[in-house]
Amino acid sequence: MISSVKLRHAVAWWFVGPALLVIAVFFVAPVLAALVMSLTDFDIYALADLRNLRVVGLSNYLELLQRPLFWKALGNTLYFVVVGVPLSLAVSLGAALLLNSRLARFQPFFRTALFAPVVTTIVAVAVIWRYLLGTRYGLLNYALGAIGIAPIDWLGDPRFAMPAIILFAVWKNFGYNMIILLAGLQNIPRELYEAARIDGASALRQFRYVTLPMLAPILTIVGILTVAGYFQLFAEPYVMTQGGPLQSTTSILYFMYEEGFKWWNLGNASAVAFMLFLLIFAVTLLQLRHARRGERWR
């Protein structure tokens, strides 16, 4: 009996071992190395000769807190998250509700078309959006000019650069959440809606008292994933604005990229990465606490 149990454990470890080894080599080890690096002054000189490497403790973290550009990048990132996440969730939920409607036609086609931006190369769609947002010949400014509004420099004006990035990011990413929310909507029993209609509930009340409560767990997961993803804003400003104009679209991740690969301050870049991790972790905990509190009130 004991030998058979040991044999099953050994077989289980043989199956799990390769996956754990891959996780250890490609995830755990790099994270630990980055944590150690964040406590050093690892730069281009240390890269050339490790004898130039010094342990500085928490100096990198304290220095970041004293840099105006770090706080500027943090403010830009928070702005992107606070505005972009609710907008993305609203668009995703609206599209899922439309696709889930009994009146909807050609659902497979529209589901594929709305999901297509998610799997499209960001460089290609960014080029198209740069033409759409162009000051002189952009389609958006052409439409605004038709109703008497002067052209707007969407990517060159600090007031409009981040809203333009937000619109682009929402369009690029909402299809992923839409598919998840659509799956959740399709699993809500139709009997609940029929009972609500019999009781005289309007469509708005059905949405408020049937759809949202039944969809709450999925909305929580989607919200957590979206917040974590939007905190890691990098590709959009890198491709479209290079962090400008006047650093109005410089995000935390873009700031980390410049520290690490433009100025070769790899110790500072690692410190930025762990500060971003702590921020995402704290916000995720708040979301989970809010979700549990909402479950108790329901």
Side-chain angles (χ1 to χ4, degrees):
M1 183 68 180
I2 297 178
S3 60
S4 63
V5 172
K6 289 182 177 180
L7 179 61
R8 286 199 298 270
H9 287 174
V11 171
W13 278 110
W14 275 106
F15 278 104
V16 175
L20 293 178
L21 181 61
V22 170
I23 293 173
V25 172
F26 294 101
F27 179 75
V28 177
V31 168
L32 293 178
L35 179 60
V36 172
M37 191 181 299
S38 71
L39 304 176
T40 68
D41 64 345
F42 197 102
D43 55 13
I44 193 170
Y45 300 105
L47 194 62
D49 188 350
L50 287 178
R51 289 176 296 181
N52 296 321
L53 183 65
R54 296 178 305 168
V55 177
V56 297
L58 299 178
S59 296
N60 289 332
Y61 296 90
L62 297 177
E63 180 186 348
L64 285 174
L65 296 178
Q66 298 174 3
R67 293 184 61 179
L69 182 55
F70 171 78
W71 292 106
K72 176 71 172 176
L74 179 60
N76 292 338
T77 304
L78 291 176
Y79 174 33
F80 180 79
V81 171
V82 170
V83 177
V85 169
L87 184 59
S88 179
L89 293 180
V91 173
S92 301
L93 182 58
L97 289 170
L98 289 175
L99 288 176
N100 192 54
S101 173
R102 293 180 176 179
L103 301 178
R105 296 291 184 269
F106 308 109
Q107 291 185 13
F109 168 77
F110 285 108
R111 187 166 59 242
T112 303
L114 293 175
F115 185 75
V118 178
V119 296
T120 305
T121 306
I122 190 170
V123 176
V125 294
V127 171
I128 295 174
W129 270 75
R130 286 178 67 90
Y131 280 110
L132 292 176
L133 299 172
T135 306
R136 288 189 176 182
Y137 307 108
L139 184 61
L140 183 55
N141 277 331
Y142 179 81
L144 293 176
I147 57 177
I149 299 177
I152 297 174
D153 190 1
W154 291 102
L155 300 178
D157 191 326
R159 296 173 299 171
F160 300 106
M162 184 57 81
I165 293 289
I166 291 173
L167 290 177
F168 172 67
V170 170
W171 172 85
K172 180 75 172 63
N173 301 309
F174 85 94
Y176 182 79
N177 292 337
M178 178 198 71
I179 294 297
I180 298 175
L181 292 172
L182 180 61
L185 288 171
Q186 292 175 345
N187 284 325
I188 299 177
R190 292 289 179 182
E191 293 80 4
L192 296 178
Y193 293 105
E194 294 176 1
R197 281 194 295 270
I198 291 173
D199 289 339
S202 62
L204 185 59
R205 287 182 173 272
Q206 291 177 38
F207 175 75
R208 168 66 181 84
Y209 294 105
V210 178
T211 304
L212 286 182
M214 296 297 294
L215 211 58
I218 297 178
L219 282 172
T220 299
I221 296 298
V222 167
I224 291 173
L225 293 175
T226 305
V227 167
Y230 273 45
F231 264 116
Q232 300 174 64
L233 171 68
F234 172 74
E236 290 84 352
Y238 178 77
V239 174
M240 299 184 70
T241 61
Q242 291 76 50
L246 299 178
Q247 300 168 342
S248 61
T249 59
T250 298
S251 63
I252 289 289
L253 216 57
Y254 191 89
F255 174 72
M256 182 190 74
Y257 164 79
E258 287 200 327
E259 284 292 307
F261 297 101
K262 183 177 181 180
W263 307 115
W264 292 100
N265 295 323
L266 298 176
N268 282 349
S270 299
V272 174
F274 278 94
M275 293 184 76
L276 179 61
F277 163 74
L278 292 176
L279 180 60
I280 295 175
F281 184 72
V283 173
T284 301
L285 288 181
L286 289 176
Q287 288 180 279
L288 291 174
R289 180 174 297 182
H290 177 73
R292 293 194 192 100
R293 187 176 301 173
E295 290 177 359
R296 286 199 296 268
W297 280 106
R298 287 198 300 271

